[in-house]
Amino acid sequence: APHPQDAGGELVVRVIEGKDFAKMDGRRGLSDPYVKIKLQEAKFQTAVIQGSLNPRWNQTFKFQLDDNPYDDEIECEVLDWDAEGEDDTMGEFTIPLTRELLHQARHRETGDEAISYSQRELWVDLQGEDDLGRAAKGQVCFRFEVRNEPPTLQRCIPQKFAKRMCQCHPLPSLLPESS
């Protein structure tokens, strides 16, 4: 069973860059790569970076985590955009949502729990074959962050109910104090 801190929340996935991709366009000796990313039913894709074997996307996508995220994995496919015809697969891979990955992705700022951005980054090798029948080549760098919903129900609940429901401190008044 997942640790209660790992259940739910928002997984923020930043597709940072790729490196050492294969040349897919014979004429130019380059590629026009982009990444398709999927978690459960949510699907996104990066912009196409034209004429690059080392693209830099630096794009962020947000996914909702369910109550048992360890059953899930992020599915990714790197493709070469073609002006005519279908885009070519350059490789694919999956990233399982492990306890370690989610723990490192949690936003922590206190003492020993501090986790640097470099620890939240992950380079993943392309797997499989490209559409030219060659072994997939290259890597993609990701950065992960998990943002939890606030632990109390204060946002939309009137103050007189919030204290009773979550046994928390009273909400600060939004009205200026009168003297």
Side-chain angles (χ1 to χ4, degrees):
H3 188 280
Q5 287 184 338
D6 292 332
E10 181 178 66
L11 177 63
V12 180
V13 178
R14 180 176 291 266
V15 182
I16 299 174
E17 63 184 313
K19 69 178 182 182
D20 301 327
F21 285 163
K23 299 172 185 174
M24 298 296 289
D25 297 337
R27 299 180 305 261
R28 301 179 301 144
L30 295 171
S31 295
D32 304 314
Y34 67 97
V35 179
K36 285 186 176 181
I37 180 170
K38 177 182 178 214
L39 176 61
Q40 296 177 345
E41 301 305 314
K43 299 176 187 178
F44 300 100
Q45 76 178 45
T46 66
V48 173
I49 305 296
Q50 294 191 346
S52 180
L53 302 179
N54 299 292
R56 185 153 185 88
W57 294 285
N58 207 25
Q59 286 185 266
T60 301
F61 305 100
K62 297 177 181 178
F63 299 92
Q64 291 303 310
L65 292 174
D66 61 24
D67 290 337
N68 189 11
Y70 302 136
D71 290 342
D72 298 330
E73 58 186 16
I74 298 170
E75 300 172 31
C76 298
E77 182 180 17
V78 179
L79 295 110
D80 173 52
W81 177 82
D82 284 325
E84 300 171 9
E86 289 189 32
D87 297 346
D88 298 317
T89 296
M90 297 177 71
E92 55 193 14
F93 52 88
T94 58
I95 304 170
L97 297 184
T98 62
R99 184 179 304 271
E100 179 184 13
L101 178 81
L102 292 175
H103 175 75
Q104 288 182 348
R106 297 264 169 219
H107 187 63
R108 304 193 193 288
E109 296 180 355
T110 57
D112 295 338
E113 292 289 327
I115 293 177
S116 70
Y117 273 113
S118 64
Q119 288 175 287
R120 296 179 192 186
E121 288 185 2
L122 177 68
W123 282 94
V124 183
D125 293 326
L126 271 64
Q127 304 289 318
E129 290 186 347
D130 65 23
D131 277 357
L132 301 177
R134 305 173 298 190
K137 180 179 182 292
Q139 296 179 308
V140 178
C141 182
F142 294 87
R143 180 178 296 150
F144 300 94
E145 184 176 346
V146 176
R147 298 178 184 158
N148 284 340
E149 290 296 316
T152 63
L153 302 173
Q154 295 182 355
R155 284 183 293 168
C156 301
I157 300 172
Q159 182 175 346
K160 64 182 179 180
F161 297 112
K163 186 172 183 180
R164 230 179 313 158
M165 291 178 70
C166 65
Q167 299 178 350
C168 56
H169 299 289
L171 290 172
S173 173
L174 298 177
L175 302 174
E177 291 185 23
S178 56
S179 47

